[in-house]
Amino acid sequence: MSQLDPIQIGLIAASVLALLFLILFLFALRSKKKVKETYSSQYQSKKEKLNNEHKEELEKARIEKKKSDTRHKEQYDTMLSSKNREIDALKLFSKNDSEYITDMRLLGIRERLVKEKRIRPEDMHIMANIFMPTNDLEDITRISHLVLTRTGLYIIDSELLKGHVYQGVTQNQFKENPMMEQVFKTLELDAQTPQTVVLDQQETNRTLTVVDYTSQLEAVEKLATTLQQKLNLKYAPTAILYFNPRHEGDITISNYAPQSGTKVLVGPTQLDEFFNKFVFHGRIQYDVNDLQAIMTEIETFN
């Protein structure tokens, strides 16, 4: 048997060493992979745990929020229901005979105009006994009647009367009506400014009452301006002071006022003629969507 020369021995030794290093490298690589897999598994497990905990927290928060929202909604509904009952009661007890009669007359006018096909039902709406906040809910203003039409909005304050209305009377009428000069002096009215003075016969006895309605007419005019500002309307509503007769034919009027935006009307005939003229023949100011939007906004106050 021949002996290996030194070169062959060196080659064999180098091969053995190379194989040994290869085995060690593969072992180290496998160990590193195993450690990496271990860390990856731990990371994934921790990630899933955190995700689950986060989902649980979110679900708890969602449930708590839902419970809180439900409680708030119940409290709001309770408060709203209570306020609605208060408003309904206030409306019920604040509506007088004149307002009820005026409601019926206005509804009758609308029904007739629709029946005659002069307007559509959506062209005219009648709202009664409206409560409108004016100063951050500290002050409440009541509107007896609000008529919404495509030709404009009309605020109506109504009174029940048996007697005579002097509209726009001044010192210019004293010569033809000397008694009115004494009325002005007694009530301390400005004779140079048009006044609305009413002679009202009381039902209980044969007594005639002289009433100055000028401030009430001014209040309706102011209310029209307030409503325009509150609702940001394109046009100012027309202010109307309307006198219902206690019985048919109970009211007469002497109108000395120049033509203006504010109207004083007496009796169903004048009321009917007014809306015949202005609702049907007036200039269009709003479309039906505008009227619906105005009603919706007003209803938020009530």
Side-chain angles (χ1 to χ4, degrees):
M1 182 175 179
S2 60
Q3 293 183 344
L4 298 175
D5 57 37
I7 295 175
Q8 291 176 326
I9 293 172
L11 289 172
I12 292 171
S15 299
V16 171
L17 286 173
L19 180 61
L20 182 61
F21 280 121
L22 179 61
I23 292 171
L24 289 173
F25 174 75
L26 292 174
F27 179 78
L29 187 64
R30 183 179 177 186
S31 297
K32 183 178 180 182
K33 184 178 180 182
K34 188 173 181 180
V35 170
K36 184 178 180 181
E37 288 175 350
T38 300
Y39 279 126
S40 177
S41 176
Q42 290 175 348
Y43 170 78
Q44 192 64 32
S45 176
K46 188 174 182 179
K47 180 181 177 182
E48 290 178 358
K49 181 181 178 182
L50 290 174
N51 282 339
N52 290 335
E53 290 176 352
H54 181 62
K55 288 179 180 178
E56 288 177 1
E57 291 298 323
L58 286 178
E59 181 64 17
K60 287 180 181 177
R62 187 189 68 80
I63 292 173
E64 286 301 319
K65 185 177 183 303
K66 187 175 181 181
K67 289 180 179 179
S68 177
D69 290 345
T70 300
R71 285 195 300 269
H72 289 158
K73 186 177 184 304
E74 289 174 351
Q75 291 171 356
Y76 173 77
D77 289 342
T78 301
M79 180 188 70
L80 186 62
S81 177
S82 175
K83 293 299 180 184
N84 284 337
R85 287 196 299 270
E86 291 177 13
I87 290 173
D88 289 342
L90 188 57
K91 286 183 177 182
L92 178 64
F93 290 106
S94 62
K95 182 178 289 190
N96 58 36
D97 292 343
S98 178
E99 291 169 355
Y100 176 78
I101 295 170
T102 304
D103 287 343
M104 296 300 102
R105 295 203 192 285
L106 291 171
L107 289 170
I109 290 171
R110 179 180 181 271
E111 183 179 351
R112 181 180 54 76
L113 290 173
V114 171
K115 187 176 181 180
E116 292 174 357
K117 301 189 183 302
R118 302 176 70 185
I119 64 170
R120 300 168 299 175
E122 60 269 26
D123 290 338
M124 183 176 181
H125 304 278
I126 298 163
M127 303 183 75
N129 224 18
I130 302 165
F131 291 85
M132 184 181 69
T134 53
N135 296 320
D136 299 325
L137 298 177
E138 293 297 326
D139 184 24
I140 303 296
T141 299
R142 190 173 76 92
I143 301 174
S144 299
H145 310 89
L146 177 63
V147 180
L148 302 92
T149 75
R150 295 178 65 207
T151 56
L153 273 58
Y154 305 89
I155 291 180
I156 304 174
D157 193 8
S158 66
E159 298 290 340
L160 208 57
L161 178 68
K162 180 180 181 181
H164 188 81
V165 177
Y166 292 91
Q167 164 60 3
V169 62
T170 64
Q171 61 187 5
N172 297 332
Q173 284 73 52
F174 290 172
K175 186 175 181 180
E176 64 181 87
N177 194 341
M179 182 195 75
M180 193 55 61
E181 182 176 5
Q182 186 59 47
V183 169
F184 269 62
K185 289 180 179 179
T186 303
L187 297 180
E188 298 181 348
L189 303 178
D190 182 0
Q192 296 181 345
T193 304
Q195 307 288 336
T196 302
V197 179
V198 173
L199 304 181
D200 187 10
Q201 180 182 335
Q202 304 301 304
E203 285 191 310
T204 53
N205 51 48
R206 300 183 64 84
T207 304
L208 191 65
T209 304
V210 181
V211 185
D212 174 24
Y213 275 94
T214 307
S215 59
Q216 187 166 334
L217 184 58
E218 290 172 350
V220 183
E221 295 171 351
K222 183 179 178 181
L223 187 55
T225 302
T226 301
L227 187 65
Q228 181 184 17
Q229 295 171 347
K230 187 75 176 177
L231 301 180
N232 194 26
L233 299 173
K234 300 184 216 176
Y235 307 95
T238 298
I240 299 174
L241 180 58
Y242 171 62
F243 291 94
N244 268 310
R246 287 199 177 94
H247 305 286
E248 187 175 353
D250 271 356
I251 303 180
T252 52
I253 184 171
S254 297
N255 198 336
Y256 305 103
Q259 291 295 324
S260 65
T262 304
K263 307 294 180 184
V264 175
L265 305 175
V266 299
T269 301
Q270 280 199 2
L271 189 69
D272 191 76
E273 289 174 351
F274 176 84
F275 281 103
N276 266 339
K277 178 179 178 181
F278 287 95
V279 173
F280 185 64
H281 297 290
R283 182 170 62 90
I284 298 297
Q285 296 182 352
Y286 303 99
D287 61 31
V288 293
N289 293 325
D290 292 331
L291 297 182
Q292 187 59 54
I294 292 170
M295 283 200 303
T296 300
E297 189 167 357
I298 289 174
E299 284 169 356
T300 62
F301 304 145
N302 292 262

